[in-house]
Amino acid sequence: MSKPKGVYDNAATGDTSFRRTWDRDEYAHKAAERQAQEAKERKERYEAKVAGKKYLPKLDANINVKEFDDSKMVEARRDRIRLDENLNKVQIVPFGSTGGRRGKGAGYYCEACDLNFTNSLEYVEHLNSKQHLQATGQTDIVERATLEMVRERLQWLKQRKRDQNRAEQFDLAKRLAERRNIEEEERIERKERKRVKKEEKRREKLKANTNSVNLDDTQDRDATTMARMMGFEGFGSTKQR
Amino acid sequence: MSRTIAPDAKAMLDTRGLYDGPTIHSMNPLLLMEKIIRERIIDSMYWKEQAWGLNAATLLDRAVDLQYIGGQYANQKPTAFICLVLKMLQLNPEREILLEYLQDEDFKYLRALAAFYIRLAWPAAEVYKTLEPLMADYRKLRLRTQAGFKLTFVDEFIDDLLTKERVCDIALPRMPTRAQLEDMDELEPRESLVSDVEEDSDEEVGEEGEVGED
């Protein structure tokens, strides 16, 4: 791929730097390669025609042909697609990525295909598409199940159900005991907290009583008489009560 | 029969050219379900996410997780049950596999699913022969309709399949009644499952009476 470089190298502002740029040398090189390839093929085609044979392209490493198909058949999904994975999360989206589907942006992102989707239905449809399967090395065919496979699966599911039932039964008594312990602890803690609070309140009340007695006697009385003399009694409303 | 299948129903519902896939009642199996509900299923999230890429073995994983039977619910959404019925029509499982589903004792919704498929796909006489023994299954089933949940039973569901025209919002293929098939000598007269109960009902009453006195 071409390196992202500023279009205007001397552009001091840089406000157009998000635009896509192209590496001319790289593409010139690619074009030369392709032309050489085509010339070679033309020559082989011509030679085959002269010899009166049918031209068949060679399986060459240079030619982009898969030598063997190692793609796997599609299997049923093991888990649910996690559509709410990014729910209530803040993500940083690259600038200028809101246009097409290519590249990571806001919404559902497919790592394998480098595509972004703005709704769940589109995303799931993409996961089922040939394009995605090809990118992840799968073919869009499913193996047909035989009777043995069905029997095996059913046995496994039955076993799983039995195990789950057993686990649940075992858990119940244990969980009840655990719950009881937790509740007992919580009760004691609540009691302790209440006691501490009560004690604190009592102490505060005592303190406040002794303080107010001192204030009333000396400074506070002076201040109120002075204020009355000056024509105001205090802050707040003048409303008669 | 080919050894592979498609992950979805797209190819089977392709209307370009003549259909040359497997047939049931000499038609495309997927067309046994009406167009409207079929399209609702194919557009549904369950079909695209959960029912995609299943085969007859992995279908069991989904069938085991079923919580209720039914056709459409709420705002005409297709139930998982009806989605799996369409999936089975697409998969077209072999006879032995279906009997394996049907005879399993642990999962009642799997049994209901298999029974529904058999009613859709098999010839009339065989439907009666295969489904009637299930009338001895009295387990509860949850039925979800547009109006809400309803209680039904496996035997009641089987009876609906054998006698009604529409079950789970699907028009079932026409089937001669049991009496007609008996007249055509395709079926033996039915032995009632409760016939032997009636005979020795006197003894039972006697036993019950004794228990009451104790």
Side-chain angles (χ1 to χ4, degrees), chain A residues 73-77 80-81 83 120-121 124-125 127-128 133 140-147 149-151 153-154 157-158 160-161, chain B residues 1-5 7 45 48-50 52-58 60-62 64 91-92 94 96-97 100-101 104 106-107 110:
Chain A
M73 277 195 258
V74 160
E75 280 178 4
R77 285 186 228 292
R80 301 293 304 268
I81 300 171
L83 292 170
S120 53
L121 207 60
V124 173
E125 270 176 6
L127 293 183
N128 292 350
L133 295 178
D140 67 333
I141 46 173
V142 185
E143 190 185 4
R144 209 185 158 81
T146 57
L147 183 60
M149 282 162 76
V150 171
R151 272 191 188 141
R153 193 97 194 150
L154 199 54
L157 286 166
K158 279 180 174 184
R160 195 183 68 168
K161 190 188 174 193
Chain B
M1 206 167 265
S2 73
R3 291 187 34 222
T4 58
I5 36 176
M45 202 60 174
K48 285 177 181 172
E49 189 197 341
Q50 300 275 86
W52 185 82
L54 295 183
N55 63 19
T58 44
L60 287 167
D61 295 6
R62 307 288 185 261
V64 159
L91 295 180
N92 201 4
E94 287 89 346
E96 297 80 44
I97 292 179
E100 195 71 30
Y101 286 179
D104 179 67
D106 279 332
F107 306 109
L110 175 64

Side-chain angles (χ1 to χ4, degrees), chain A residues 204-217:
Chain A
E204 243 170 53
K205 214 176 171 185
L206 211 69
K207 216 176 175 182
N209 276 341
T210 52
N211 277 351
S212 67
V213 168
N214 289 342
L215 270 179
D216 273 349
D217 283 352

Side-chain angles (χ1 to χ4, degrees), chain B:
Chain B
M1 206 167 265
S2 73
R3 291 187 34 222
T4 58
I5 36 176
D8 56 15
K10 212 179 279 170
M12 274 176 86
L13 287 170
D14 194 348
T15 49
R16 295 169 300 177
L18 282 173
Y19 174 77
D20 64 345
T23 54
I24 290 174
H25 304 315
S26 62
M27 68 192 285
N28 182 347
L30 295 184
L31 302 188
L32 287 170
M33 221 174 254
E34 295 116 316
K35 185 181 166 84
I36 288 184
I37 190 160
R38 192 174 65 228
E39 287 184 352
R40 274 188 198 130
I41 290 170
I42 286 169
D43 286 340
S44 75
M45 202 60 174
Y46 186 87
W47 177 264
K48 285 177 181 172
E49 189 197 341
Q50 300 275 86
W52 185 82
L54 295 183
N55 63 19
T58 44
L59 182 106
L60 287 167
D61 295 6
R62 307 288 185 261
V64 159
D65 286 340
L66 284 178
Q67 296 291 314
Y68 48 82
I69 60 171
Q72 299 181 88
Y73 69 96
N75 191 16
Q76 292 178 315
K77 278 167 89 175
T79 59
F81 178 81
I82 211 75
C83 290
L84 290 183
V85 171
L86 188 72
K87 193 75 207 177
M88 286 177 79
L89 287 172
Q90 186 218 321
L91 295 180
N92 201 4
E94 287 89 346
R95 201 190 157 77
E96 297 80 44
I97 292 179
L98 281 168
L99 291 176
E100 195 71 30
Y101 286 179
L102 200 69
Q103 281 153 10
D104 179 67
E105 292 285 337
D106 279 332
F107 306 109
K108 53 188 178 180
Y109 289 103
L110 175 64
R111 176 171 279 189
L113 189 70
F116 197 91
Y117 177 83
I118 286 171
R119 170 65 182 86
L120 284 178
W122 285 11
E126 283 189 48
V127 171
Y128 281 105
K129 273 183 216 160
T130 329
L131 297 191
E132 269 168 359
L134 299 184
M135 297 272 213
D137 188 347
Y138 307 126
R139 283 180 293 183
K140 287 178 184 174
L141 289 178
R142 228 173 278 134
L143 171 67
R144 194 168 195 185
T145 61
Q146 305 258 29
F149 285 101
K150 262 192 234 166
L151 172 67
T152 182
F153 301 88
V154 177
D155 56 333
E156 195 182 341
F157 181 61
I158 299 292
D159 186 59
D160 285 350
L161 286 178
L162 295 180
T163 53
K164 286 193 176 168
E165 284 180 3
R166 284 187 80 83
V167 178
C168 292
D169 299 321
I170 299 291
L172 301 172
R174 289 291 162 92
M175 196 169 70
T177 61
R178 200 189 154 84
Q180 285 168 336
L181 287 173
E182 276 172 22
D183 290 345
M184 288 189 285
D185 285 337
E186 283 190 37
L187 277 181
E188 298 289 314
R190 179 163 174 248
E191 284 259 331
S192 174
L193 288 165
V194 287
S195 60
D196 46 326
V197 178
E198 277 166 22
E199 279 167 24
D200 46 47
S201 58
D202 300 334
E203 291 167 33
E204 275 180 31
V205 168
E207 279 165 22
E208 275 172 10
E210 278 165 31
V211 172
E213 279 163 20
D214 289 339

